[in-house]
Amino acid sequence: MSIFSSKDKTPAQTVIQDVCKVKKGEKVLIIANPETNLIAQDLYTAASDNGANPTLIFQPKKTSMDAAEDAVVAAIKSEPDVCFSISAVKLGKDKEAQANPYKTEDGKSYDSAFDYLLDGKKTMRAVWTPGLTQDMFNRTVQIDYKLLGERCKKICEKYKDAVSVHVTASGGTDVIINVEGREGLVDDGDFSKPGSGGNIPAGEVFISPVVGKTHGRIVYDGSMTFSDGDSILETPIDVKIENGYITDISGGEEAKRLLKDITAAEKAAVEMENKGTLPKGQGEFYARNARSIGELGIGLNPNATITGNMLEDEKAFRTCHFAVGENYDGDGNALIHFDGVVRNPTIVISYKDKSEFTVLKDGELQI
């Protein structure tokens, strides 16, 4: 039984008790930056008060292209029961695992200890919060997780036996992604079982498109992630995709910024192979996937809005988001994963028998 009444819980207590269901004696690792110290310390106190054994470690702020500090990677490798990455931007890459990936018995490889323990061995549960602010934490954590879970479950069920998803929007988006054989994944705020994890704030269903089989046009008109942070878009970014990969990016200065970041990731992947920090043959693979569409996500947190912070923006109602770069199924590795938001989309799932199901219509949830 909780030692706090629900009405008296702080956001940190909600995360520790209701989201992660941290138990007495569990090892809890909290990784933070100086910029996120208050939230991290609140989580430390809530975990300690709940009888867990928390450890708090700070490192400098990391961008999507930076490596995590060696001490941070070592702390993750100590195999905590629960790991919180409370980062101003990113946790940072695991350079040791990139050079020598972890392997599971079923042949899957993981280029970070974090992913290996979470998704490979499934011994850890985790929360990651790139860009979390105190205001966001206060506004978006205390939601109806039962309702969120029900919505996530229903949408995932609709992805079963799906062949493709057609996304259109008034801003110009008109794209078809192949999802045959893929499963819907959830960020439903239930991170209580080993191998489960997601964002705080929670609230999305997402799926990895089949690599090389997305066609059409995405017009990002909400916000976008770049290598140095997130921004609300002043000018839409118009992206054309053929055979799964971006062939053209147009728009204003923000489109140029995205293209610059993608090009940098392509170049860095080749350089990393030459230096031996990526296995032989993986540089070209990582470089190619910097132009892949790695995710389609649907926002489901009723307290989230578009603020220019992707951690919250991608959870906002009446939106979807597409990621440029790495996917979640392990067959589309890249050095980047840049989410971009599309406002008020219509999302239609198609099946082998030619039937269809509409998840969103002009941004309105149909479930």
Side-chain angles (χ1 to χ4, degrees):
M1 181 179 292
S2 168
I3 61 174
F4 302 97
S5 65
S6 58
K7 68 178 182 179
D8 294 330
K9 285 183 183 178
T10 66
Q13 290 163 354
T14 297
V15 171
I16 292 296
Q17 296 178 23
D18 300 340
V19 173
C20 293
K21 294 182 172 61
V22 172
K23 304 177 187 67
K24 183 178 180 180
E26 285 194 310
K27 295 190 297 180
V28 177
L29 173 63
I30 304 166
I31 304 163
N33 311 129
E35 295 86 348
T36 59
N37 69 311
L38 295 180
I39 297 171
Q41 289 171 348
D42 284 345
L43 289 168
Y44 180 98
T45 299
S48 180
D49 289 346
N50 220 51
N53 298 322
T55 297
L56 174 57
I57 184 170
F58 288 101
Q59 68 173 350
K61 182 169 68 174
K62 303 293 182 178
T63 72
S64 59
M65 298 296 287
D66 292 330
E69 297 298 315
D70 292 344
V72 166
V73 175
I76 296 171
K77 289 168 68 174
S78 72
E79 302 199 19
D81 298 296
V82 187
C83 182
F84 291 92
S85 173
I86 311 300
S87 51
V89 182
K90 294 287 186 179
L91 172 63
K93 299 188 182 303
D94 185 338
K95 58 186 180 183
E96 180 182 336
Q98 283 185 324
N100 297 286
Y102 292 94
K103 301 281 187 179
T104 54
E105 292 182 359
D106 60 2
K108 288 186 177 180
S109 63
Y110 295 88
D111 60 4
S112 74
F114 186 98
D115 291 343
Y116 174 62
L117 296 174
L118 178 65
D119 297 323
K121 292 182 68 176
K122 297 188 185 300
T123 56
M124 184 176 80
R125 51 200 201 275
V127 170
W128 52 99
T129 66
L132 185 64
T133 66
Q134 190 72 56
D135 171 67
M136 189 194 310
F137 194 54
N138 293 340
R139 285 187 294 103
T140 62
V141 168
Q142 289 158 311
I143 61 173
D144 186 339
Y145 287 101
K146 181 180 178 181
L147 177 59
L148 173 60
E150 290 171 353
R151 285 170 167 164
C152 288
K153 182 179 179 181
K154 287 178 180 177
I155 294 174
C156 277
E157 287 174 349
K158 295 299 180 182
Y159 276 132
K160 290 181 180 177
D161 301 318
V163 173
S164 63
V165 184
H166 188 192
V167 183
T168 57
S170 59
T173 293
D174 188 348
V175 65
I176 296 175
I177 68 170
N178 186 303
V179 295
E180 194 166 6
R182 299 299 211 194
E183 293 183 3
L185 304 170
V186 300
D187 190 350
D188 60 0
D190 181 4
F191 311 143
S192 59
K193 298 179 180 62
S196 66
N199 291 152
I200 289 296
E204 68 168 301
V205 170
F206 54 104
I207 195 166
S208 295
V210 176
V211 178
K213 293 190 176 181
T214 297
H215 302 271
R217 178 186 177 204
I218 300 171
V219 180
Y220 296 108
D221 58 0
S223 56
M224 190 80 208
T225 296
F226 301 96
S227 62
D228 58 352
D230 308 325
S231 297
I232 290 180
L233 296 174
E234 295 183 6
T235 304
I237 300 176
D238 194 334
V239 173
K240 293 180 181 177
I241 306 108
E242 296 179 8
N243 298 317
Y245 299 97
I246 294 170
T247 58
D248 185 71
I249 301 174
S250 60
E253 291 302 313
E254 292 145 323
K256 295 177 183 177
R257 187 178 173 192
L258 177 60
L259 179 58
K260 180 181 177 181
D261 285 345
I262 292 173
T263 303
E266 292 171 325
K267 182 179 179 181
V270 175
E271 291 176 347
M272 288 174 69
E273 181 182 335
N274 292 337
K275 293 177 181 177
T277 53
L278 276 179
K280 189 172 178 59
Q282 289 296 295
E284 182 181 346
F285 178 67
Y286 273 67
R288 182 171 66 252
N289 289 322
R291 290 179 179 262
S292 181
I293 300 301
E295 174 195 6
L296 164 64
I298 300 171
L300 294 170
N301 187 314
N303 290 357
T305 60
I306 296 178
T307 64
N309 186 320
M310 191 56 64
L311 180 64
E312 178 175 1
D313 296 3
E314 67 178 8
K315 311 305 188 317
F317 259 29
R318 293 175 287 279
T319 72
C320 73
H321 56 278
F322 294 92
V324 175
E326 186 163 81
N327 69 14
Y328 289 101
D329 280 38
D331 57 357
N333 300 72
L335 295 179
I336 57 174
H337 179 97
F338 293 158
D339 290 305
V341 172
V342 174
R343 299 175 185 265
N344 302 314
T346 293
I347 301 178
V348 181
I349 302 174
S350 296
Y351 303 89
K352 288 182 179 179
D353 63 2
K354 308 300 182 183
S355 63
E356 296 181 338
F357 179 81
T358 300
V359 182
L360 292 180
K361 184 173 177 58
D362 298 324
E364 296 299 325
L365 192 63
Q366 303 298 295
I367 288 179

